[in-house]
Amino acid sequence: MSTSLERYTERVEQYASRFPRFPRFLDVMMVLALIGSASLGTQLSLPGVTPPDSDKPLEVMLGLSCFVLLKYRTHTRTVVVVVAGVTIAAIARGYLLTPLLLAPLLAAMYWLAVLCDRRTIRMYGLVVTVALLTVNLFSDGMRDLSPVLTVIGPVFWMALPLVGGSLARLRGDYLEAVKARAEHAERTREEEARLRVAEERMRIARELHDVVAHHLALANAQAGTAAHLARSNPEQSRKILDDLTGTTSSALRELKATLGLLRQDDRPDGEGLEPAPGLARLPELVDSYRSAGLEVTVHQEGARQPLSPGVDLTAYRIVQEALTNVAKHASAHAAHVTFTYADSRLLITVSNDGPATAPAPAPASGGFGLRGMRERAQSIGGELCAGPRPEGGFEVTTALPLQPSAAVQGETV
């Protein structure tokens, strides 16, 4: 829609650029043409009707009133009053009311309709028309004509410039509105583009944080456990080191997949990219923490229901980050994950039974830790709460919709 508005605005500007750069020259040419029309109008009369005696001063005033039109841009109402007064005086003198004689007044009324508001147009148009008809009806040249002819003709002629000027004003307002809408659409598109770039950067930052922080924390825990068991239980230590190799390999794969999203335009049909992780990989996630010495129990309440890809990824990342916080900050060696399917929402609770020690606060720059989990939940229309438990330990609770609304999906695309 905005593209069509821009094209139309360009055509309007091209049309406007065809006008000469000397508007005063056009005004002078218009005045000279009106003087010629008014002069010719004073020479016309009805057959069998004696024309009025030549009144040179009135004819001069009629010509001078045309020059007043040069001020129509700045003194529109004054121009109408002056030209109307001279024209009515000419008709009262006995000159035949014709479009040629009315040409200066018609031009003044046209610019009144173009430049003034509707109330002013109606008031001036009514007063001038009534005055013109009154003088015309009682003038000597019109006494022998039918009143219908003396009324219908002047009313029709006076209506033409008012209607034409009003249409020109409406068209000008419409073109201004089209231009304003095109400019607004341009600004809105730029702002929306900046917003989408910022949202995409935030999304990528959250993905990188979840991937790197989780695997590094897990690798650190596994390395520490292996070092602790190196002398007392070498066999178990070697097993943990084997798991550490798998952890680092998994980190590299997920990091490659995340960064590959930035290059997917260069790959046909997403070639070489792994699917986004979801709750189907939860057993693998739980086993990786168990190898690091953290016992994770998973409990489900209610019948499992299908999740949209966005909700599935969000649920997995929140559980991953919550368990990472337990491994990094809590002194407990066990964590509990509970999934509750109720109505149209999924409630996820991750808790530990250790001392009430909260995870490290998120940096002011945002996108880390608890803030990252909360942003993920809110991005699909969910909620997240985190804090110490009264009986000890720490708990993260989030409620996610099973199927986000269309508006939320559009914002997170």
Side-chain angles (χ1 to χ4, degrees), residues 24-319:
R24 282 299 175 187
F25 175 76
L26 285 180
D27 292 344
V28 171
M29 296 301 295
M30 176 190 69
V31 167
L32 294 178
L34 292 175
I35 291 175
S37 298
S39 177
L40 182 59
T42 59
Q43 307 300 320
L44 299 178
S45 62
L46 292 173
V49 177
T50 304
D53 296 334
S54 178
D55 192 344
K56 293 298 182 182
L58 184 59
E59 294 178 3
V60 172
M61 290 181 59
L62 192 60
L64 292 177
S65 67
C66 296
F67 284 98
V68 178
L69 288 168
L70 293 174
K71 293 293 184 180
Y72 71 86
R73 290 186 178 88
T74 56
H75 301 82
T76 309
R77 298 174 180 84
T78 304
V79 168
V80 172
V81 172
V82 172
V83 176
V86 175
T87 304
I88 292 173
I91 296 173
R93 180 68 178 81
Y95 289 104
L96 181 64
L97 193 154
T98 62
L100 292 176
L101 187 66
L102 288 176
L105 179 59
L106 298 182
M109 298 302 293
Y110 173 84
W111 290 115
L112 178 76
V114 171
L115 301 176
C116 295
D117 58 275
R118 294 181 179 179
R119 183 173 180 274
T120 301
I121 296 170
R122 288 194 296 266
M123 183 179 65
Y124 277 76
L126 180 61
V127 171
V128 172
T129 303
V130 170
L132 195 66
L133 291 176
T134 302
V135 174
N136 190 45
L137 287 173
F138 291 98
S139 64
D140 295 336
M142 295 295 175
R143 289 180 180 178
D144 297 334
L145 296 179
S146 170
V148 177
L149 296 178
T150 59
V151 172
I152 294 179
V155 170
F156 176 75
W157 297 328
M158 292 296 296
L160 283 179
L162 294 177
V163 173
S166 298
L167 293 177
R169 176 171 52 83
L170 292 176
R171 182 175 180 274
D173 294 342
Y174 173 74
L175 294 180
E176 288 293 331
V178 168
K179 184 177 180 181
R181 288 169 59 188
E183 293 175 352
H184 176 72
E186 181 68 22
R187 291 194 302 269
T188 303
R189 185 169 65 251
E190 293 177 356
E191 293 173 359
E192 183 178 356
R194 288 195 296 268
L195 180 60
R196 288 188 177 275
V197 168
E199 291 176 349
E200 185 65 13
R201 291 176 59 187
M202 184 64 68
R203 186 186 68 82
I204 294 174
R206 285 197 300 263
E207 287 293 327
L208 290 176
H209 167 264
D210 291 344
V211 171
V212 175
H214 159 66
H215 287 97
L216 285 182
L218 185 59
N220 181 67
Q222 290 174 331
T225 304
H228 178 72
L229 298 175
R231 293 185 179 180
S232 61
N233 194 341
E235 186 66 25
Q236 182 67 18
S237 177
R238 281 194 298 270
K239 184 178 181 303
I240 293 176
L241 290 177
D242 292 338
D243 293 337
L244 177 58
T245 302
T247 299
T248 55
S249 299
S250 178
L252 290 175
R253 286 196 305 271
E254 286 201 36
L255 187 60
K256 180 180 178 181
T258 302
L259 295 178
L261 293 175
L262 302 177
R263 298 174 177 266
Q264 61 182 4
D265 290 340
D266 300 332
R267 297 171 180 262
D269 301 325
E271 179 184 352
L273 299 182
E274 292 186 355
L279 293 182
R281 293 178 55 180
L282 187 62
E284 177 185 342
L285 179 67
V286 171
D287 291 341
S288 65
Y289 279 106
R290 285 173 179 167
S291 66
L294 179 64
E295 187 65 27
V296 181
T297 59
V298 180
H299 180 66
Q300 177 180 314
E301 298 179 1
R304 185 170 183 176
Q305 301 183 36
L307 305 176
S308 67
V311 176
D312 198 18
L313 173 62
T314 299
Y316 178 85
R317 289 302 189 195
I318 289 177
V319 172

